[in-house]
Amino acid sequence: QVQLVESGGGLVQPGGSLRLSCAASGTFFSIGTMRWYRQTPGTLQRELVASMFSTGSTSYADSVKGRFTISRDNAKNTVYLQMNSLKPEDTAVYYCNLIQPGRTYWGQGTQVTVSS
């Protein structure tokens, strides 16, 4: 059974940093595309924030480019989202997502609140 477990969320002041982690069990991140999404209260749609492909290449939403970095530790089977220069509009529940052939997996989400 595949499980994705996020951690690292919390309350941070504007301009601060957080690092989110997504640990996988039952599968390997290196097989597939890993993504971070976020969802703000009152919205139905999740916004794609960052992606890492099996080749190791990455892509980012324009709203986070230059501030967020997605990375992967294959030995720990964990994907990270380093978030710097955080803004109040980054406040959301962040979800990790893994896409493999014929399968899609989601974590339970971790809350990030950016406020003074």
Side-chain angles (χ1 to χ4, degrees), residues 19-88:
R19 188 178 78 159
L20 306 183
S21 300
C22 178
S25 59
T27 189
F28 296 98
F29 281 129
S30 57
I31 306 171
T33 297
M34 183 63 217
R35 288 176 167 162
W36 285 97
Y37 284 81
R38 65 187 180 188
Q39 186 171 13
T40 54
T43 62
L44 294 177
Q45 196 157 1
R46 293 178 180 178
E47 175 192 8
L48 176 59
V49 173
S51 300
M52 174 171 274
F53 304 96
S54 56
T55 58
S57 62
T58 59
S59 66
Y60 298 92
D62 288 342
S63 58
V64 306
K65 204 170 291 183
R67 300 188 298 121
F68 290 12
T69 303
I70 186 172
S71 62
R72 183 175 69 203
D73 185 331
N74 289 338
K76 295 182 178 179
N77 210 25
T78 299
V79 173
Y80 303 98
L81 185 67
Q82 178 67 44
M83 305 186 295
N84 298 327
S85 302
L86 282 161
K87 305 175 182 180

Side-chain angles (χ1 to χ4, degrees), residues 10-16 18 86-91 112-116:
L11 173 64
V12 63
Q13 292 187 342
L18 281 175
L86 282 161
K87 305 175 182 180
E89 52 263 43
D90 294 318
T91 296
V112 171
T113 302
V114 185
S115 175
S116 54

